[in-house]
């Protein structure tokens, strides 16, 4: 078994425990058992709970970087990608909610992990501003997307799909017009 496979299994186990049981259930023993490895094997990869959370947040940051690159690679892609990813699937929402809750509890979150999560949200703002060129419209789109995302994370009611499609279409059209008007 490769180190990356073991590392991924550990992070998958941590993620599952966070989602299913919450941060208080995260122990080195519980994660090792869920990953199917010894505690010593876990400690080889992650010497503490904080290191595991940093690893999980790092993996999420890598996935976000992939989304950023994808968004940049197509014309008008940032606005479309951002709004599309602002309504996460329930599994993704559960992961982010659990991580944010764990970081907020200060039980084992680190400043490094907090900064990486903040970077993900701030990077979307930067990309939107770069693509649109209208800081007010870019911030409006960011706030709408963040509101949708955080509402989904919190399990709050989501807008009617037709209304959401209309909202998204209108914001994309406004962004396209602002971009063309530069």
């Amino acid at each position: 078994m490769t180190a990356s496979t073991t590392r991924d299994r550990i992070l998958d186990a941590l993620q599952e425990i966070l989602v299913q049981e919450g941060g208080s259930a995260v122990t080195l023993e519980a994660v090792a058992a869920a990953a199917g490895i010894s505690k010593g094997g876990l400690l080889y990869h992650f010497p503490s709970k904080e290191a595991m959370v940093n690893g999980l947040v790092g993996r999420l940051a890598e996935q976000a970087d992939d989304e950023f690159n994808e968004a940049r690679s197509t014309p008008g892609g940032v606005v479309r990608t951002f709004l599309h990813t602002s309504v996460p699937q329930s599994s993704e929402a559960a992961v982010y909610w659990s991580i944010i809750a764990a970081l907020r509890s200060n039980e084992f979150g680190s400043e490094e992990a907090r900064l990486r999560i903040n970077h993900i949200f701030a990077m979307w703002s930067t990309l939107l501003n770069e693509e649109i060129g209208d800081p007010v419209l870019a911030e409006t789109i960011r706030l709408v997307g963040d509101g949708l995302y955080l509402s989904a994370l919190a399990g709050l009611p989501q807008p009617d799909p037709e209304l959401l499609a209309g909202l998204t279409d209108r914001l994309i059209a406004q962004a396209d017009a602002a971009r063309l008007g530069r």
Side-chain angles (χ1 to χ4, degrees), residues 18-60:
L18 280 170
V19 169
Q20 298 299 320
E21 302 175 49
S24 62
V26 174
T27 64
L28 296 175
E29 294 80 8
V31 174
I37 62 170
S38 68
K39 184 177 175 183
L42 181 141
L43 290 171
Y44 174 79
H45 295 281
F46 299 103
S48 66
K49 289 193 289 186
E50 182 178 298
M52 282 191 302
V53 171
N54 286 345
L56 184 56
V57 170
R59 184 166 72 173
L60 294 173

Coordinates of all heavy atoms in Angstrom, one line a residue, residues 18-60:
L18 N -16.0 13.3 11.0 CA -16.4 14.7 11.2 C -17.9 14.8 10.7 O -18.7 15.5 11.4 CB -15.6 15.6 10.4 CG -14.2 16.0 11.0 CD1 -13.4 16.8 10.0 CD2 -14.5 16.9 12.3
V19 N -18.2 14.3 9.6 CA -19.6 14.4 9.0 C -20.6 13.6 9.8 O -21.7 14.2 10.2 CB -19.6 14.0 7.5 CG1 -21.0 13.8 7.0 CG2 -18.8 14.9 6.7
Q20 N -20.3 12.4 10.2 CA -21.2 11.5 10.9 C -21.4 11.8 12.4 O -22.5 11.7 12.9 CB -20.9 10.1 10.7 CG -20.9 9.6 9.2 CD -22.3 9.8 8.6 OE1 -23.3 9.5 9.2 NE2 -22.3 10.2 7.3
E21 N -20.3 12.2 13.0 CA -20.3 12.3 14.5 C -19.9 13.6 15.0 O -20.0 13.8 16.2 CB -19.4 11.1 15.1 CG -19.8 9.7 14.6 CD -18.9 8.7 15.1 OE1 -18.5 8.7 16.3 OE2 -18.4 7.9 14.2
G22 N -19.2 14.4 14.2 CA -18.8 15.7 14.7 C -17.4 15.7 15.2 O -16.8 14.7 15.4
G23 N -16.8 16.9 15.5 CA -15.5 17.1 15.9 C -15.1 16.4 17.2 O -14.0 15.9 17.4
S24 N -16.1 16.3 18.1 CA -15.8 15.7 19.4 C -15.5 14.2 19.3 O -14.9 13.7 20.2 CB -17.0 16.0 20.4 OG -18.1 15.4 19.9
A25 N -15.9 13.6 18.2 CA -15.7 12.2 18.1 C -14.3 11.9 17.4 O -13.9 10.7 17.3 CB -16.8 11.6 17.2
V26 N -13.6 12.9 17.0 CA -12.3 12.7 16.4 C -11.3 12.5 17.4 O -11.0 13.3 18.2 CB -11.9 13.9 15.5 CG1 -10.5 13.8 15.0 CG2 -12.9 14.1 14.4
T27 N -10.8 11.2 17.4 CA -9.6 10.9 18.2 C -8.6 10.2 17.3 O -9.1 9.6 16.2 CB -10.0 9.9 19.4 OG1 -10.4 8.7 18.8 CG2 -11.0 10.6 20.3
L28 N -7.4 10.1 17.6 CA -6.4 9.4 16.8 C -6.8 7.9 16.7 O -6.7 7.3 15.6 CB -5.0 9.5 17.4 CG -4.5 11.0 17.4 CD1 -3.1 11.0 18.2 CD2 -4.3 11.5 16.1
E29 N -7.3 7.4 17.8 CA -7.7 6.0 17.8 C -8.9 5.7 16.9 O -8.9 4.7 16.1 CB -8.0 5.5 19.2 CG -6.9 5.5 20.2 CD -6.5 6.8 20.8 OE1 -7.3 7.8 20.5 OE2 -5.5 6.9 21.4
A30 N -9.9 6.6 16.9 CA -11.1 6.4 16.1 C -10.8 6.6 14.6 O -11.3 5.8 13.8 CB -12.2 7.5 16.5
V31 N -9.9 7.5 14.3 CA -9.6 7.7 12.9 C -8.7 6.5 12.4 O -9.0 6.0 11.3 CB -8.8 9.0 12.7 CG1 -8.3 9.2 11.2 CG2 -9.7 10.2 13.0
A32 N -7.8 6.1 13.2 CA -7.0 4.9 12.8 C -7.9 3.7 12.6 O -7.7 3.0 11.6 CB -5.9 4.6 13.9
A33 N -8.8 3.4 13.5 CA -9.7 2.3 13.3 C -10.5 2.4 12.1 O -10.7 1.5 11.3 CB -10.6 2.2 14.6
A34 N -11.1 3.6 11.8 CA -11.9 3.8 10.6 C -11.1 3.7 9.4 O -11.6 3.3 8.3 CB -12.6 5.2 10.7
A35 N -9.8 4.0 9.4 CA -9.0 3.9 8.2 C -8.4 2.5 8.1 O -7.8 2.2 7.0 CB -7.8 4.9 8.3
G36 N -8.6 1.7 9.1 CA -8.1 0.3 9.0 C -6.6 0.2 9.2 O -6.0 -0.7 8.6
I37 N -6.0 1.1 10.0 CA -4.6 1.1 10.2 C -4.3 1.2 11.7 O -5.2 1.5 12.5 CB -3.8 2.2 9.5 CG1 -4.3 3.6 10.0 CG2 -4.0 2.1 8.0 CD1 -3.5 4.7 9.5
S38 N -3.1 0.9 12.1 CA -2.7 1.1 13.5 C -2.6 2.5 13.9 O -2.4 3.4 13.0 CB -1.4 0.3 13.8 OG -0.3 1.0 13.1
K39 N -2.6 2.8 15.2 CA -2.4 4.2 15.6 C -1.0 4.7 15.2 O -0.8 5.8 14.8 CB -2.6 4.3 17.1 CG -2.5 5.7 17.6 CD -2.8 5.8 19.1 CE -2.6 7.2 19.6 NZ -2.8 7.3 21.1
G40 N 0.0 3.8 15.3 CA 1.3 4.1 14.9 C 1.4 4.5 13.4 O 2.1 5.4 13.0
G41 N 0.6 3.7 12.6 CA 0.6 4.0 11.2 C 0.0 5.4 10.9 O 0.4 6.2 10.0
L42 N -1.0 5.7 11.7 CA -1.6 7.1 11.6 C -0.6 8.1 12.0 O -0.5 9.1 11.3 CB -2.9 7.2 12.4 CG -3.6 8.5 12.3 CD1 -5.1 8.3 12.4 CD2 -3.2 9.4 13.5
L43 N 0.0 7.9 13.1 CA 1.0 8.9 13.6 C 2.2 9.1 12.7 O 2.8 10.2 12.6 CB 1.5 8.5 15.0 CG 0.5 8.6 16.1 CD1 1.0 8.0 17.4 CD2 0.0 10.0 16.3
Y44 N 2.5 8.1 11.9 CA 3.5 8.2 10.9 C 3.2 9.3 9.9 O 4.0 10.1 9.4 CB 3.8 6.9 10.1 CG 4.7 7.0 9.0 CD1 6.1 7.0 9.2 CD2 4.3 7.1 7.7 CE1 7.0 7.1 8.1 CE2 5.1 7.2 6.6 CZ 6.5 7.2 6.9 OH 7.4 7.3 5.8
H45 N 1.9 9.4 9.5 CA 1.4 10.4 8.5 C 1.0 11.7 9.1 O 1.2 12.7 8.5 CB 0.3 9.8 7.7 CG 0.7 8.6 6.8 ND1 1.3 8.8 5.6 CD2 0.5 7.3 7.0 CE1 1.5 7.6 5.1 NE2 1.1 6.7 5.9
F46 N 0.4 11.6 10.3 CA -0.2 12.8 11.0 C 0.1 12.6 12.5 O -0.6 11.9 13.1 CB -1.7 12.9 10.7 CG -2.1 13.0 9.3 CD1 -2.6 11.9 8.6 CD2 -1.9 14.2 8.6 CE1 -2.9 12.0 7.2 CE2 -2.3 14.3 7.3 CZ -2.8 13.2 6.6
P47 N 1.0 13.5 13.0 CA 1.4 13.3 14.4 C 0.3 13.9 15.4 O 0.5 13.7 16.6 CB 2.7 14.1 14.5 CG 2.6 15.1 13.4 CD 1.8 14.4 12.3
S48 N -0.7 14.5 14.9 CA -1.7 15.0 15.8 C -3.1 15.2 15.1 O -3.1 15.1 13.8 CB -1.3 16.4 16.3 OG -1.2 17.3 15.3
K49 N -4.1 15.5 15.9 CA -5.4 15.8 15.3 C -5.3 17.0 14.4 O -5.9 17.1 13.3 CB -6.5 15.9 16.3 CG -6.9 14.6 17.0 CD -8.1 14.8 17.8 CE -8.0 15.6 19.1 NZ -9.2 15.6 19.9
E50 N -4.6 18.0 14.9 CA -4.4 19.3 14.2 C -3.8 19.0 12.8 O -4.2 19.6 11.8 CB -3.6 20.2 15.0 CG -3.4 21.6 14.3 CD -2.6 22.5 15.2 OE1 -3.0 22.9 16.3 OE2 -1.5 22.9 14.7
A51 N -2.8 18.1 12.8 CA -2.1 17.8 11.5 C -3.1 17.1 10.6 O -3.0 17.4 9.4 CB -0.9 16.9 11.8
M52 N -4.0 16.3 11.1 CA -5.0 15.6 10.2 C -5.9 16.6 9.6 O -6.2 16.6 8.4 CB -5.8 14.5 11.0 CG -5.0 13.3 11.2 SD -6.1 12.0 11.9 CE -6.7 12.7 13.4
V53 N -6.4 17.5 10.5 CA -7.3 18.6 10.0 C -6.6 19.4 8.9 O -7.2 19.8 7.9 CB -7.9 19.4 11.1 CG1 -8.7 20.6 10.6 CG2 -8.8 18.6 12.0
N54 N -5.4 19.8 9.2 CA -4.6 20.5 8.2 C -4.5 19.8 6.9 O -4.6 20.3 5.8 CB -3.2 20.9 8.7 CG -3.2 22.0 9.8 OD1 -4.2 22.7 9.9 ND2 -2.1 22.1 10.5
G55 N -4.3 18.5 7.0 CA -4.2 17.6 5.8 C -5.5 17.6 5.0 O -5.6 17.7 3.8
L56 N -6.7 17.5 5.8 CA -8.0 17.5 5.1 C -8.3 18.8 4.5 O -8.7 18.9 3.3 CB -9.0 17.1 6.1 CG -10.5 17.0 5.6 CD1 -10.5 15.9 4.5 CD2 -11.4 16.6 6.7
V57 N -8.0 19.9 5.2 CA -8.2 21.2 4.6 C -7.3 21.4 3.4 O -7.7 22.0 2.4 CB -8.0 22.3 5.7 CG1 -8.0 23.7 5.0 CG2 -9.1 22.2 6.7
G58 N -6.0 20.9 3.5 CA -5.1 21.0 2.4 C -5.7 20.3 1.1 O -5.6 20.8 0.0
R59 N -6.3 19.1 1.4 CA -6.8 18.4 0.2 C -8.0 19.2 -0.4 O -8.1 19.3 -1.6 CB -7.3 17.0 0.7 CG -7.8 16.1 -0.4 CD -7.9 14.7 0.0 NE -9.0 14.5 0.9 CZ -9.4 13.3 1.3 NH1 -8.8 12.2 0.8 NH2 -10.5 13.1 2.1
L60 N -8.8 19.8 0.5 CA -9.9 20.6 0.0 C -9.4 21.8 -0.8 O -10.0 22.2 -1.8 CB -10.9 21.0 1.1 CG -11.6 19.9 1.8 CD1 -12.4 20.4 3.0 CD2 -12.6 19.3 0.8

